[in-house]
Amino acid sequence: MNMQPTAVIAPPAPKGIAEMQLPIVMMRDILLKTVFRKNVETAREVAEAICLPLSVTQELIDMSRGQKLLEATGTLNANSGNEMGYQLTDAGKSRALDALSQSEYFGAMPVPLEVYREQVKRQSIRNIQVTRDQLVRAMGHLVLPDSLLGHLGPAVSAGRSILMYGPPGNGKSSISNGIRDALGDNVYVPRAIEYSGQVITVYDPIVHTAVEQEPDDPTQLRRRARFDSRYVMCERPTVITGGELSLSMLDLVYNPTARTYQAPLQLKSTGGIFIIDDLGRQAEPPQAIINRWIVPLEEGKDILGLQSGEKFEVPFDTLVIFSTNFHPNEIFDQAALRRIFFKIKIDGPNQENFLKIFAMVARKKGVPLDEKALVHLLKVKYPTIDNIYANYQPVFLIDQMIAICEFEGIPYQMSPDLIDRAWANMFVKDEKIVK
């Protein structure tokens, strides 16, 4: 795609312990636990493991040596660059085990929540400006009316909530994915954040797509100088949920064994898109789901709770897309609808666009068009359903004809007879079943 979004300002790497804004004991304990669990020895290996610049790591190592929790082992072999090695003292091992009993978390040093807030502002989804050309390119595989793009564009650029509604099978999910593709730039996702001494893991390889970086210079931690490596540079995230979404999935997930928290879905989607597909199919009523989003949508912040019962605010910087097959007035009250900034109806295609989609799908799947079959489809079959077209139907019908041709052992083709056989599988007749 020929897109050139403005580059997001990277989080600067900390220059010393004082800039970390984390409790000293927490930093020291994470270092000790990491040395214990990962068996790293040199300062460079430790820096890599805890994702801090070498100079900051050395400060933590020196502090731990001063407390007699680490000790130097002497110069290592040439394979390690003749660097000084370190190991835990007996007191250090004891402290590491004690710290692990309180929290199993080790590795990347977390980012304080307050520091993360500033990075969220630097890479806000509301800073994105999407042009018509970008949106057209991202949705080039879809046949959409110009008027629809005219409604979608301002909604995406505003970074505000969107409700897409209309009959099923008309591409609401595909349009949502196209919006995601139109964003086109990268953000920085923290591996973990810290609040009130608690660690909340955020980076999730299932949700986040990391952007490849140039390899490190073998002699200098150049990557550490580019940006704070406690973050991972990723494509703007997209979280897609459907009928399985429950309100509990929007809460912090506590791991009682590790004694750490995992960020909920909406926090993982910060700087990106949260798509709630098939709204109305969840166990909770749509009104309850919308009520859960009222504060985040209106105030740009979310409220989460720790096991202790303490509540705290986290940034809410996500483009929320609700998609439903129901009419909004059937599932929401007017107060809820006011909270959703853009409401866009996605209708089925007219006959002209239906034929464009049908021809495009047939060409892609290698099925030659047949005039008699098309006339039969448009003049005989569609009048039986009041000429109501849907975007899913061309794929469905052509896949059905392909399946029949493969079963019969004949070349891919279409005919009035094949149209009839495919059509029979697209709808179920209303009839009583005799038991």
Side-chain angles (χ1 to χ4, degrees):
M1 294 179 191
N2 184 25
M3 301 179 187
Q4 296 180 337
T6 302
V8 166
I9 299 173
K15 294 184 174 63
I17 289 179
E19 286 188 16
M20 295 288 292
Q21 298 182 45
L22 287 170
I24 288 287
V25 172
M26 172 184 244
M27 289 190 286
R28 183 205 65 191
D29 285 354
I30 288 176
L31 180 138
L32 297 177
K33 289 187 286 183
T34 303
V35 170
F36 183 81
R37 285 288 193 221
K38 302 194 81 168
N39 198 30
V40 285
E41 295 182 338
T42 68
R44 197 173 300 275
E45 289 172 340
V46 176
E48 189 77 22
I50 64 176
C51 299
L52 288 181
L54 186 57
S55 59
V56 181
T57 302
Q58 191 65 57
E59 278 190 72
L60 287 171
I61 288 174
D62 292 344
M63 180 185 70
S64 299
R65 287 183 71 189
Q67 296 175 3
K68 306 211 180 305
L69 301 173
L70 278 179
E71 62 186 2
T73 61
T75 303
L76 297 181
N77 60 43
N79 291 334
S80 299
N82 292 321
E83 289 185 69
M84 181 72 73
Y86 301 95
Q87 64 184 16
L88 294 170
T89 63
D90 288 342
K93 289 177 185 176
S94 177
R95 178 60 210 162
L97 288 168
D98 186 46
L100 283 165
S101 71
Q102 296 173 45
S103 167
E104 274 284 341
Y105 184 83
F106 64 92
M109 204 66 70
V111 177
L113 177 58
E114 288 306 313
V115 174
Y116 178 49
R117 285 187 208 279
E118 295 307 308
Q119 184 57 31
V120 171
K121 292 176 185 175
R122 288 192 283 262
Q123 61 193 28
S124 174
I125 189 74
R126 297 193 181 185
N127 296 340
I128 290 270
Q129 288 299 314
V130 176
T131 65
R132 179 179 286 271
D133 182 56
Q134 285 175 300
L135 210 51
V136 168
R137 287 175 182 273
M139 300 193 187
H141 61 297
L142 303 174
V143 177
L144 302 173
D146 287 341
S147 60
L148 177 55
L149 291 176
H151 289 303
L152 284 173
V156 176
S157 289
R160 305 291 291 271
S161 54
I162 301 172
L163 171 65
M164 292 193 293
Y165 66 98
N170 283 311
K172 291 186 289 296
S173 299
S174 297
I175 290 169
S176 298
N177 292 332
I179 290 172
R180 172 196 63 194
D181 295 340
L183 299 182
D185 64 344
N186 303 318
V187 293
Y188 296 88
V189 178
R191 300 173 194 272
I193 57 177
E194 175 270 343
Y195 172 76
S196 191
Q198 301 298 315
V199 176
I200 303 165
T201 58
V202 179
Y203 173 70
D204 181 347
I206 296 173
V207 171
H208 301 109
T209 302
V211 176
E212 292 271 339
Q213 296 288 296
E214 293 177 18
D216 284 342
D217 184 299
T219 60
Q220 296 183 18
L221 290 179
R222 293 257 176 111
R223 185 186 297 182
R224 300 298 171 253
R226 287 196 202 122
F227 63 86
D228 187 343
S229 60
R230 292 177 294 170
Y231 294 81
V232 181
M233 185 192 290
C234 299
E235 297 175 6
R236 286 193 180 267
T238 301
V239 172
I240 304 176
T241 63
E244 78 284 359
L245 177 67
S246 64
L247 292 178
S248 64
M249 293 165 68
L250 305 178
D251 296 330
L252 281 173
V253 179
Y254 182 67
N255 183 327
T257 304
R259 294 181 176 84
T260 58
Y261 293 87
Q262 183 179 130
L265 294 174
Q266 72 276 19
L267 188 53
K268 290 181 181 180
S269 69
T270 299
I273 299 177
F274 193 113
I275 300 171
I276 302 175
D277 211 355
D278 283 332
L279 189 62
R281 305 291 182 195
Q282 292 77 18
E284 281 98 351
Q287 186 72 46
I289 292 176
I290 288 292
N291 288 345
R292 171 62 180 81
W293 294 89
I294 286 176
V295 170
L297 290 176
E298 289 194 339
E299 300 184 20
K301 63 183 180 184
D302 197 9
I303 310 295
L304 299 178
L306 299 173
Q307 284 287 106
S308 63
E310 181 182 356
K311 304 289 185 183
F312 65 102
E313 294 180 4
V314 294
F316 185 84
D317 187 73
T318 303
L319 172 59
V320 183
I321 301 177
F322 301 98
S323 174
T324 182
N325 298 331
F326 296 96
H327 192 282
N329 290 339
E330 295 177 14
I331 55 177
F332 301 125
D333 60 25
Q334 291 305 306
L337 283 175
R338 282 200 308 274
R339 264 91 182 194
I340 302 175
F341 208 69
F342 293 93
K343 293 166 272 289
I344 302 173
K345 187 177 183 186
I346 311 294
D347 276 320
N350 58 24
Q351 188 181 91
E352 179 186 356
N353 281 340
F354 171 84
L355 286 172
K356 285 182 183 177
I357 299 168
F358 196 93
M360 185 171 68
V361 173
R363 183 171 61 252
K364 182 178 179 181
K365 293 180 177 284
V367 179
L369 293 173
D370 178 83
E371 186 177 351
K372 287 183 179 179
L374 287 173
V375 169
H376 182 71
L377 180 63
L378 298 178
K379 301 298 184 184
V380 177
K381 307 310 291 185
Y382 270 98
T384 65
I385 59 167
D386 298 324
N387 294 311
I388 297 174
Y389 302 96
N391 283 310
Y392 81 93
Q393 292 165 352
V395 175
F396 185 95
L397 292 169
I398 290 168
D399 281 348
Q400 288 282 331
M401 288 188 279
I402 287 173
I404 295 168
C405 290
E406 289 177 346
F407 175 74
E408 300 291 355
I410 59 176
Y412 288 177
Q413 58 191 270
M414 62 178 67
S415 66
D417 176 61
L418 288 172
I419 290 287
D420 285 341
R421 291 174 69 178
W423 186 271
N425 283 325
M426 195 155 66
F427 301 103
V428 178
K429 293 180 180 178
D430 286 328
E431 54 186 359
K432 290 184 179 180
I433 297 175
V434 178
K435 297 181 180 179

